[in-house]
Amino acid sequence: MSDDEVNVLFMPSGLRGKVPVGTTVLQAAQRLGVDLESICGGQGKCRKCQILPQEGVFPKHGITSRLDHLSEFTETERHHQSKNRLKDGRRLGCNARLLGDLVVDVPEESQQHKQHIAKAVTAYDIQVLPALRLYTVTLPEPDMHAPISDKRRLQNELAREYELPIMDCELSQLRLLQKALDKSERRITAAVYQHQQIIGIWPGEKKVVYGLAVDLGSTTIAAQLCNLDTGEVVATADTMNPQIRFGEDLMSRVSYVMMNEGGDKVLTQVVREAFNQLATRAAKSAGIQLDEILDVTLVANPIMHHLFLGIDPTPLGTAPFTLTTDQTTVIRAADLDLYLHAEARVCILPCIAGHIGADTAGVILAERPDLAEEYVLLVDVGTNAEIVLGNRNRLLAASSPTGPAFEGAQITSGQRAAPGAMERIRVDPETLEPRFRVIGCEVWSDDPEFAQKSAKVGVSGICGSGIIEVIAEMFLAGIIDQDGVIGPVEGKDSDRIVLEGRTYAYILHEGDKKIRITQNDVRAIQLGKAALHAGTRLLIDRMGISKVDRIGFAGAFGSHIDVKYAMVLGLIPDCNLEKVGSVGNAAGTGARIALLNLPSRLEIGEILPKVEKIETAIEPKFQEYFIEAMALPHKVDPYEELSKVVKLPPPKAKLENGSGDGRKRKSRRRRSRV
Amino acid sequence: MSDDEVNVLFMPSGLRGKVPVGTTVLQAAQRLGVDLESICGGQGKCRKCQILPQEGVFPKHGITSRLDHLSEFTETERHHQSKNRLKDGRRLGCNARLLGDLVVDVPEESQQHKQHIAKAVTAYDIQVLPALRLYTVTLPEPDMHAPISDKRRLQNELAREYELPIMDCELSQLRLLQKALDKSERRITAAVYQHQQIIGIWPGEKKVVYGLAVDLGSTTIAAQLCNLDTGEVVATADTMNPQIRFGEDLMSRVSYVMMNEGGDKVLTQVVREAFNQLATRAAKSAGIQLDEILDVTLVANPIMHHLFLGIDPTPLGTAPFTLTTDQTTVIRAADLDLYLHAEARVCILPCIAGHIGADTAGVILAERPDLAEEYVLLVDVGTNAEIVLGNRNRLLAASSPTGPAFEGAQITSGQRAAPGAMERIRVDPETLEPRFRVIGCEVWSDDPEFAQKSAKVGVSGICGSGIIEVIAEMFLAGIIDQDGVIGPVEGKDSDRIVLEGRTYAYILHEGDKKIRITQNDVRAIQLGKAALHAGTRLLIDRMGISKVDRIGFAGAFGSHIDVKYAMVLGLIPDCNLEKVGSVGNAAGTGARIALLNLPSRLEIGEILPKVEKIETAIEPKFQEYFIEAMALPHKVDPYEELSKVVKLPPPKAKLENGSGDGRKRKSRRRRSRV
């Protein structure tokens, strides 16, 4: 062993190896294939790569591990410690450097969250009027001359002191009542749900309880733990949806249910277990007990919604795509096998239609198009795009089958948004040379320091927002023509454009892995954007307007794409670019609004039945619009303003190569859909 | 083996023996000590002694058992068969006579109910307006052009066809909805609870569901299973309260809870298990499934009420005797670990005060004194007597500590009302000789056939109603004086009156057991009747009336006592004897009314808070009235009419024996109370 190298052993994985002195723990983990999370790419910001160095002799491994075999605490670590974000004994893997042999424990919460989860908590002013409120009262002594029960004295006191209506109390809490009264001289705190029901009893004064707003996605489950008194988000946590092992996309999970007796119960169980783990992590991270969580709001797409509730989602897999329920469901957490307070309530926002879920209800709650004067278009892009259009007078909603391309799936070099994924891509229109930036590395690929700085994350693929950019950039550079065909650009030699069989591909990067865009990739994006465009156009038609006033992209995809490129590709209709933007994780924000603001929670149940649902599958015009929208930006362009925004490429020689033929395109589309 | 004898083997006990040809199976069982129930004493009325004769060779026992080794079906058995009360293959043990060797199976429901349970189902006209109703609807096909969920289509159809309000549906039933729709071409039946909530879903047309009215007593639990469509009682079942093994009376069960950590949980668990067994038996007997039971009403005294709900009853054991709740409790059966339909509801009627339970609420519901013009006095005698007095303008209620004497407990020869117990007793005023009748034998003890006819049940003790009669008869014969002292009657020699230490006793019967009345027994009855009288008088005082118009005795005790004797002893205040009577098991009837008639169920919650509760323990006058009421009938007699009804005995020499001293009596009372 060289003097310049140290031994490092990671637990609980048992992975070990030698690394140069001065390597950060995160780098060592990445090199040895240890599952240590990092989102910020080692910048000391995300605090995900927390590790616990061990002290002691490990004879089996020949390692004497000492805490001072790590570099001293950095300024960054001290800062996080002072904010209680870095617990005793822990270090940031990206800050702590190995100076000697060390055994490193990777805590559970630093493991297995390889995906970069973009469902960040957006800042939002919400009036805190929670469904659950605490009231502290001192009950009068019982009087044998006028005997009334503990419960009735509690009711009377709540009415007298807080003008609350007389309400029932859950039996499980009644059982605690007399001991609570004994313990604290008849001073107790009651938690009242929706002004209707006492669901919690504590002796003395209880000042704070907590609520959990959950966005249950097919890929990711994200939770925001909120103080129900201040509304403050005290912790966030997210995890992969463990159902992924039964099918990456929703339809394959429905297939799993159809093919396996009891399969729905298995899917229900694993997602609830994930919920429990998530809640436990969030509670731990906030330093509270699970039984201090008394309220939950949850949004999900229709299939996740049904599975979470234990309802067979099979009918959602085939026409007529009938929901079992399209109403708000309020149920005891315990009845869903969720382990929070014994009487914690779960409020699951309603689905809108078979393809439009409670997540869209969350988006509506976050953006409130139903209150807008102007016409608002909200788009949540995933495997399907949920589209909402309207204003205070009328709301329309549809779901359009965009396919998984926008999420980077079924794209040759596509991947989820994780470290090493290209998220920003430019193509020089003169040289046709690409440059890019990957998640986890702050410099562009043409920066001299890129090789060094990107070494720890590598260059592994292209994520959704990167794909939009590269296709648009290739189009703007003339590498892709209006029909979506890749080919050489007249007068510009480039060894990036290579023939693969009968079609061309564009090489972005050649490293360990060759990252490239193929003709099929372009077709997948064309199909996706055509579906999104056709769905949007149907709603605009139905609304009888020619132009929308504002466009909001919801979700992870929306947070990352550059709207200019979305417009280049024709993903979105004509709109003042200043009025186009990300609305963040609006679904999750909607869940949080529902959690913190009871009137909104009740209102959404009123709004949704009035939303007109457009089933794209049975709209005759959908196919027509779809075909028209395959072109880049489109053959029939109803959006005149586009040309003002986008510098269209010059007419190209490749127009003549025959691939632009409509019939051929149509047949390709059919094949792709099978 | 004589030709005149046959072999009989009882299963599952395995008890066997020889009996004369022509012996009934019931007699054989009684002779061999087999646990075969009989309430009517072999009259063919109670149908409790049902047995199942076996056919086959039992070599181990040397028995060839044949069905025709029993006498032919009697008229009585055919009658019960035609009413479906005697199932195929079964015989009445009291009707079927042994003609040859036989193996007899004693079905579970014919075993182990040794106590004579007097909580019979009383005839009562109840308007059947149940809380739970069935509605069958055919849903329209789903329409992709106007997608609405299965649940909403169900709601809409219930509203359209039955004008029901839009109501929620329990999640467990939502899970069944789509399969029910698939199974029967979208025709389904929904069970609606209290016009508010869908709690049951079945494919096709479901015509009947069932409800259970339960009277949860400290000694006995009795259930009536009702068809919720017709109101018919389709089965009754009762069982001992298994809590008895933790304490015969309620206060000893409270002590058990106080002395044993987790004792309340044990008591709660065993009583719920008994409920489940009872429900299972009732369902089996009616030939229905447990999950066809969707509604339960239950009455109980405060301690049983709290224990059944899982609330610690300890505070009910000491002043100020505060109830945790005095309101109607509606809860899912599953939340009480009761195994009925998944969404079955249990409605537990409210308790009135610490000593006045939901059983009294049931009595009020059965008798509705709150609707009466005249003043009604209702008395439910047990270890405590619950007393209700009033009319449409005002209701008063109290509980008075009568002690267990009226139930035959803590009486030297006292026993519960079971076969062999004296229930009717006369004392000849001339000869001072007693005659009596025992439960299970139709002839009086002075009948020549008594020895033979009572042989099977024996003479084992005196039950509550017998004690009232014998004390009153002894008083009328002069054996007991007005102060309650037993002694020889001047001029009438009798070897029935014997000195036992310092006091006399009266010998009723000398057989295997000597049955007698001691001075302490008379004192116990005096204490009980004084308590009852004092409680009643307090209420009459408080009401400001001098006389009640009607008196109803509720419960087993009330069903058996001869009201004339109750009046002789001064148990009840002055009233026209024609207006005094048993109101049967009014508590159980109240439970059934609540089950079958929703308006009553809701009304009782309105009535009870208006009932004025008198806590006898803190009423200064209670002690005074109590002491005054120790005499027979009483020293201060506010009830002038009594002399018209009761022929008072002549003044007696025994008045001079000094035991009549008030001070002494008082001290005795104190000792007895400790």
Side-chain angles (χ1 to χ4, degrees):
Chain A
M1 172 178 159
S2 143
D3 271 352
D4 297 331
E5 288 191 325
V6 297
N7 282 301
V8 59
L9 166 66
F10 286 92
M11 299 302 287
S13 63
L15 290 168
R16 57 168 296 171
K18 293 192 179 77
V19 293
V21 167
T23 307
T24 67
V25 175
L26 177 61
Q27 287 164 341
Q30 286 167 339
R31 191 165 305 178
L32 297 170
V34 172
D35 189 9
L36 176 59
E37 199 172 14
S38 170
I39 287 178
C40 69
Q43 298 178 62
K45 289 179 182 167
C46 74
R47 312 186 306 279
K48 295 277 179 181
C49 64
Q50 295 189 19
I51 54 98
L52 194 63
Q54 303 291 309
E55 196 154 33
V57 180
F58 296 79
K60 195 173 140 198
H61 300 278
I63 294 179
T64 298
S65 178
R66 286 170 52 177
L67 295 188
D68 63 7
H69 286 178
L70 277 183
S71 57
E72 289 192 354
F73 270 74
T74 62
E75 203 53 42
T76 306
E77 291 178 296
R78 285 220 185 77
H79 172 73
H80 288 312
Q81 262 190 331
S82 73
K83 301 277 183 186
N84 266 329
R85 294 172 189 149
L86 191 60
K87 287 195 207 126
D88 276 353
R90 291 213 181 159
R91 301 292 302 267
L92 287 186
C94 62
N95 271 240
R97 292 179 183 275
L98 292 157
L99 307 178
D101 292 356
L102 196 73
V103 174
V104 176
D105 197 28
V106 181
E108 204 195 346
E109 61 269 50
S110 302
Q111 297 171 28
Q112 277 184 335
H113 306 103
K114 284 190 166 168
Q115 197 196 352
H116 171 202
I117 291 166
K119 293 189 173 178
V121 177
T122 48
Y124 212 96
D125 276 345
I126 304 170
Q127 200 186 353
V128 181
L129 297 168
L132 197 91
R133 299 202 184 194
L134 299 178
Y135 299 93
T136 302
V137 286
T138 302
L139 302 200
E141 279 198 69
D143 176 2
M144 278 174 78
H145 291 277
I148 57 171
S149 66
D150 292 336
K151 179 180 169 188
R152 205 179 287 269
R153 280 182 299 135
L154 172 59
Q155 292 169 331
N156 291 349
E157 203 57 25
L158 288 173
R160 197 189 64 75
E161 195 165 335
Y162 297 102
E163 295 183 352
L164 290 175
I166 297 298
M167 66 186 77
D168 209 354
C169 176
E170 288 292 343
L171 181 59
S172 69
Q173 304 305 299
L174 269 188
R175 288 179 189 136
L176 309 175
L177 183 52
Q178 88 203 9
K179 287 205 172 56
L181 291 169
D182 284 355
K183 194 171 172 184
S184 54
E185 294 177 319
R186 302 186 315 286
R187 185 160 178 79
I188 58 167
T189 301
V192 172
Y193 187 69
Q194 292 206 354
H195 310 306
Q196 283 169 5
Q197 179 97 342
I198 299 166
I199 69 165
I201 297 279
W202 297 268
E205 190 165 356
K206 173 96 180 159
K207 294 200 170 166
V208 178
V209 288
Y210 297 84
L212 208 55
V214 178
D215 179 6
L216 174 54
S218 9
T219 308
T220 307
I221 312 175
Q224 304 172 52
L225 182 64
C226 298
N227 175 320
L228 289 182
D229 181 38
T230 62
E232 184 195 0
V233 177
V234 295
T236 62
D238 41 53
T239 187
M240 298 296 283
N241 187 331
Q243 290 181 343
I244 280 179
R245 65 176 189 267
F246 303 96
E248 178 94 2
D249 62 276
L250 287 169
M251 280 308 143
S252 50
R253 291 181 212 168
V254 173
S255 300
Y256 178 85
V257 170
M258 292 169 75
M259 311 290 279
N260 295 277
E261 178 73 28
D264 54 337
K265 289 185 181 56
V266 173
L267 291 183
T268 296
Q269 193 191 334
V270 299
V271 72
R272 290 182 184 169
E273 279 167 7
F275 178 105
N276 281 324
Q277 287 161 11
L278 197 61
T280 305
R281 285 225 323 273
K284 203 172 158 191
S285 142
I288 67 161
Q289 300 299 311
L290 272 179
D291 68 4
E292 293 182 276
I293 302 177
L294 275 90
D295 198 9
V296 175
T297 51
L298 186 138
V299 298
N301 60 56
I303 288 169
M304 289 311 309
H305 171 279
H306 277 41
L307 281 171
F308 190 70
L309 283 175
I311 300 172
D312 183 355
T314 311
L316 298 173
T318 45
F321 312 109
T322 309
L323 292 164
T324 291
T325 173
D326 54 5
Q327 296 168 355
T328 301
T329 302
V330 177
I331 188 162
R332 278 200 303 189
D335 289 342
L336 298 177
D337 304 324
L338 308 180
Y339 307 123
L340 307 172
H341 183 273
E343 293 295 338
R345 294 298 195 266
V346 182
C347 170
I348 297 162
L349 295 196
C351 292
I352 300 173
H355 288 130
I356 316 171
D359 39 9
T360 306
V363 171
I364 291 176
L365 208 44
E367 292 299 313
R368 293 306 296 263
D370 62 301
L371 300 178
E373 287 290 344
E374 56 191 4
Y375 283 100
V376 180
L377 177 72
L378 298 169
V379 180
D380 195 348
V381 173
T383 305
N384 289 296
E386 280 82 54
I387 314 168
V388 174
L389 172 66
N391 64 7
R392 57 187 305 163
N393 299 314
R394 192 177 176 200
L395 281 183
L396 306 176
S399 173
S400 205
T402 44
F406 291 149
E407 292 184 309
Q410 293 177 26
I411 293 289
T412 312
S413 299
Q415 71 160 89
R416 296 194 176 277
M422 298 183 184
E423 57 169 351
R424 292 278 167 263
I425 303 170
R426 297 288 177 272
V427 177
D428 187 300
E430 298 307 320
T431 65
L432 307 186
E433 278 300 294
R435 59 191 191 101
F436 54 85
R437 224 173 61 190
V438 297
I439 297 174
C441 174
E442 70 271 36
V443 298
W444 284 80
S445 62
D446 55 353
D447 189 294
E449 289 188 11
F450 179 77
Q452 186 238 315
K453 289 202 168 176
S454 68
K456 57 191 174 190
V457 294
V459 179
S460 48
I462 318 172
C463 70
S465 61
I467 289 161
I468 299 297
E469 294 202 2
V470 72
I471 302 281
E473 284 277 326
M474 286 166 73
F475 171 66
L476 293 172
I479 301 168
I480 297 173
D481 68 10
Q482 272 202 301
D483 289 320
V485 182
I486 304 177
V489 184
E490 205 174 86
K492 290 174 188 165
D493 270 351
S494 170
D495 51 9
R496 296 272 171 187
I497 301 162
V498 299
L499 201 59
E500 292 189 345
R502 296 187 167 189
T503 56
Y504 284 95
Y506 178 69
I507 311 297
L508 272 165
H509 178 74
E510 304 213 47
D512 299 343
K513 276 171 87 177
K514 186 187 276 186
I515 315 289
R516 69 202 209 282
I517 298 292
T518 68
Q519 187 60 57
N520 275 341
D521 298 339
V522 181
R523 286 288 175 251
I525 292 294
Q526 278 181 288
L527 292 169
K529 81 107 183 174
L532 177 55
H533 180 88
T536 308
R537 193 165 160 199
L538 267 184
L539 295 197
I540 291 174
D541 273 8
R542 181 68 67 94
M543 189 63 82
I545 57 177
S546 59
K547 188 171 179 304
V548 300
D549 301 311
R550 185 157 68 81
I551 299 177
F553 276 102
F557 175 81
S559 304
H560 288 88
I561 62 162
D562 185 326
V563 292
K564 190 182 73 185
Y565 291 105
M567 201 166 272
V568 166
L569 289 187
L571 253 64
I572 49 173
D574 185 25
C575 187
N576 181 348
L577 261 193
E578 283 169 16
K579 292 269 206 164
V580 181
S582 164
V583 293
N585 173 21
T589 303
R592 191 156 53 94
I593 292 170
L595 180 68
L596 297 176
N597 187 278
L598 177 60
S600 303
R601 190 190 298 196
L602 302 176
E603 247 173 305
I604 192 70
E606 312 272 307
I607 296 166
L608 294 194
K610 296 181 203 148
V611 174
E612 297 166 47
K613 296 100 191 169
I614 316 292
E615 180 53 71
T616 54
I618 55 167
E619 286 290 328
K621 285 233 160 182
F622 184 77
Q623 286 297 75
E624 184 187 329
Y625 290 174
F626 185 93
I627 293 163
E628 287 178 8
M630 284 288 287
L632 296 176
H634 348 80
K635 263 191 174 154
V636 178
D637 186 354
Y639 314 120
E640 292 171 11
E641 284 208 5
L642 191 64
S643 55
K644 298 174 199 163
V645 182
V646 182
K647 190 184 155 237
L648 287 175
K652 279 175 298 166
K654 267 168 292 117
L655 271 172
E656 291 137 33
N657 75 358
S659 307
D661 173 81
R663 230 167 8 105
K664 209 165 178 181
R665 211 165 53 228
K666 195 172 173 186
S667 71
R668 266 202 196 106
R669 183 173 59 78
R670 275 200 186 127
R671 197 189 39 196
S672 301
R673 278 208 132 182
V674 167
Chain B
M1 172 180 161
S2 145
D3 271 352
D4 296 332
E5 288 192 327
V6 297
N7 282 302
V8 57
L9 167 65
F10 285 92
M11 299 301 287
S13 63
L15 290 168
R16 57 167 298 171
K18 293 191 179 78
V19 293
V21 167
T23 306
T24 66
V25 175
L26 177 60
Q27 287 164 342
Q30 286 168 336
R31 194 165 303 175
L32 298 171
V34 173
D35 188 10
L36 176 58
E37 199 172 14
S38 171
I39 287 177
C40 68
Q43 300 176 61
K45 289 178 182 166
C46 74
R47 311 187 306 279
K48 295 276 180 180
C49 63
Q50 294 189 20
I51 55 97
L52 194 62
Q54 303 292 308
E55 197 156 33
V57 180
F58 296 80
K60 195 175 141 197
H61 299 280
I63 294 178
T64 298
S65 178
R66 288 169 51 178
L67 295 189
D68 63 7
H69 285 179
L70 277 182
S71 56
E72 287 190 359
F73 270 74
T74 62
E75 203 52 45
T76 305
E77 290 177 297
R78 286 221 185 76
H79 171 74
H80 288 312
Q81 262 189 333
S82 73
K83 301 276 183 188
N84 268 329
R85 294 173 189 148
L86 191 60
K87 282 193 211 134
D88 276 354
R90 291 211 181 163
R91 300 293 303 267
L92 287 186
C94 61
N95 271 237
R97 291 179 186 276
L98 292 158
L99 308 178
D101 292 356
L102 197 74
V103 173
V104 176
D105 197 27
V106 181
E108 203 196 348
E109 60 269 47
S110 303
Q111 298 171 28
Q112 279 185 332
H113 307 104
K114 283 191 166 168
Q115 198 198 352
H116 171 201
I117 290 165
K119 292 187 173 179
V121 177
T122 48
Y124 212 95
D125 277 342
I126 304 169
Q127 202 184 352
V128 181
L129 297 169
L132 196 91
R133 299 201 184 197
L134 299 178
Y135 299 92
T136 303
V137 285
T138 303
L139 302 200
E141 280 197 67
D143 175 1
M144 277 175 75
H145 292 276
I148 58 173
S149 67
D150 292 336
K151 178 180 169 189
R152 206 179 286 267
R153 280 182 299 135
L154 171 59
Q155 292 170 330
N156 291 349
E157 203 56 25
L158 288 172
R160 198 189 62 77
E161 195 166 335
Y162 298 102
E163 295 183 351
L164 290 174
I166 297 297
M167 67 186 77
D168 210 353
C169 176
E170 287 291 344
L171 181 58
S172 69
Q173 304 304 298
L174 271 188
R175 287 178 190 138
L176 308 175
L177 184 51
Q178 88 202 11
K179 287 205 173 56
L181 290 169
D182 285 353
K183 193 170 173 184
S184 54
E185 293 177 320
R186 304 186 314 286
R187 186 161 177 79
I188 58 165
T189 301
V192 172
Y193 187 70
Q194 291 206 355
H195 310 306
Q196 284 170 3
Q197 179 98 338
I198 300 166
I199 69 166
I201 297 279
W202 297 267
E205 191 166 354
K206 173 97 180 161
K207 294 200 171 165
V208 178
V209 289
Y210 298 84
L212 208 55
V214 178
D215 180 6
L216 175 53
S218 8
T219 309
T220 307
I221 312 174
Q224 305 170 53
L225 182 65
C226 298
N227 174 319
L228 289 182
D229 182 37
T230 62
E232 186 194 359
V233 177
V234 295
T236 61
D238 40 54
T239 188
M240 299 295 285
N241 186 331
Q243 291 181 343
I244 281 180
R245 66 176 188 268
F246 301 97
E248 179 92 2
D249 61 276
L250 287 169
M251 280 308 144
S252 50
R253 291 182 212 168
V254 173
S255 300
Y256 178 85
V257 170
M258 291 168 76
M259 309 291 278
N260 295 276
E261 178 74 26
D264 54 337
K265 289 184 179 58
V266 174
L267 292 183
T268 296
Q269 192 190 337
V270 299
V271 72
R272 290 182 184 169
E273 279 168 6
F275 178 104
N276 282 324
Q277 287 161 11
L278 198 61
T280 306
R281 285 225 323 272
K284 203 172 160 192
S285 144
I288 67 161
Q289 300 300 311
L290 273 179
D291 68 4
E292 293 181 276
I293 302 177
L294 275 90
D295 198 11
V296 175
T297 51
L298 185 140
V299 298
N301 60 57
I303 289 170
M304 289 311 309
H305 171 280
H306 277 42
L307 280 171
F308 189 71
L309 284 175
I311 300 172
D312 183 356
T314 310
L316 299 172
T318 44
F321 312 108
T322 309
L323 292 164
T324 292
T325 172
D326 53 6
Q327 294 168 355
T328 301
T329 302
V330 178
I331 189 161
R332 279 200 303 190
D335 288 341
L336 297 177
D337 303 323
L338 308 180
Y339 306 122
L340 308 173
H341 183 275
E343 292 296 338
R345 295 298 195 265
V346 182
C347 170
I348 296 162
L349 295 197
C351 292
I352 300 174
H355 288 128
I356 317 173
D359 39 8
T360 306
V363 171
I364 292 176
L365 208 44
E367 293 298 313
R368 292 308 295 262
D370 61 302
L371 301 178
E373 287 289 343
E374 55 190 5
Y375 283 99
V376 179
L377 178 71
L378 299 169
V379 179
D380 194 348
V381 172
T383 304
N384 289 295
E386 279 82 54
I387 314 168
V388 174
L389 172 67
N391 64 7
R392 58 187 304 163
N393 299 316
R394 191 178 177 200
L395 281 184
L396 307 177
S399 173
S400 204
T402 46
F406 291 149
E407 293 184 310
Q410 293 178 24
I411 293 289
T412 312
S413 299
Q415 71 161 88
R416 295 196 177 276
M422 296 182 184
E423 56 170 351
R424 293 279 168 262
I425 303 170
R426 297 289 177 272
V427 176
D428 186 302
E430 297 309 316
T431 64
L432 308 187
E433 277 301 291
R435 62 194 189 98
F436 54 85
R437 226 174 61 190
V438 297
I439 296 174
C441 174
E442 71 270 36
V443 299
W444 284 81
S445 62
D446 54 353
D447 189 293
E449 289 188 12
F450 179 76
Q452 186 238 316
K453 290 201 167 175
S454 67
K456 57 190 174 189
V457 295
V459 179
S460 48
I462 318 172
C463 71
S465 61
I467 289 162
I468 300 297
E469 293 202 2
V470 70
I471 303 281
E473 284 276 327
M474 286 166 72
F475 170 66
L476 293 171
I479 301 168
I480 298 173
D481 68 11
Q482 274 202 301
D483 287 322
V485 182
I486 304 178
V489 183
E490 207 175 85
K492 290 174 189 166
D493 269 356
S494 171
D495 52 8
R496 298 275 173 183
I497 301 162
V498 297
L499 200 60
E500 292 189 345
R502 295 186 169 190
T503 57
Y504 283 95
Y506 178 69
I507 312 297
L508 272 165
H509 177 73
E510 302 213 47
D512 300 344
K513 277 172 84 178
K514 186 187 273 189
I515 316 290
R516 67 199 209 283
I517 298 293
T518 68
Q519 187 59 58
N520 275 341
D521 297 339
V522 180
R523 287 284 175 255
I525 292 294
Q526 278 181 289
L527 292 169
K529 80 107 185 175
L532 177 55
H533 179 88
T536 308
R537 193 167 160 196
L538 268 183
L539 294 198
I540 290 175
D541 273 8
R542 180 70 66 94
M543 189 64 81
I545 57 177
S546 59
K547 190 169 176 309
V548 300
D549 301 311
R550 185 158 67 80
I551 299 177
F553 275 103
F557 176 80
S559 304
H560 288 87
I561 62 161
D562 184 328
V563 292
K564 190 181 75 186
Y565 291 106
M567 201 167 271
V568 166
L569 290 188
L571 252 65
I572 49 173
D574 186 25
C575 187
N576 181 347
L577 260 194
E578 284 169 17
K579 292 270 208 164
V580 182
S582 164
V583 293
N585 174 19
T589 302
R592 189 156 53 93
I593 292 170
L595 181 67
L596 297 175
N597 186 278
L598 177 59
S600 303
R601 191 191 296 196
L602 302 176
E603 248 172 305
I604 192 69
E606 312 273 304
I607 297 166
L608 294 194
K610 296 180 202 148
V611 174
E612 296 166 47
K613 296 99 191 167
I614 315 293
E615 180 55 68
T616 54
I618 54 168
E619 286 291 326
K621 284 234 159 181
F622 183 78
Q623 286 298 71
E624 183 187 330
Y625 289 174
F626 184 93
I627 292 163
E628 286 177 10
M630 283 289 286
L632 298 176
H634 348 80
K635 264 188 172 157
V636 178
D637 186 356
Y639 313 121
E640 290 170 12
E641 283 206 6
L642 191 64
S643 55
K644 297 173 201 164
V645 181
V646 182
K647 191 183 154 233
L648 289 173
K652 281 173 299 169
K654 270 167 289 121
L655 272 173
E656 292 137 35
N657 77 357
S659 306
D661 172 82
R663 223 161 22 93
K664 207 166 183 182
R665 214 164 50 226
K666 196 171 172 187
S667 72
R668 267 203 195 105
R669 183 172 61 77
R670 276 201 186 127
R671 196 188 38 194
S672 301
R673 281 206 130 184
V674 170

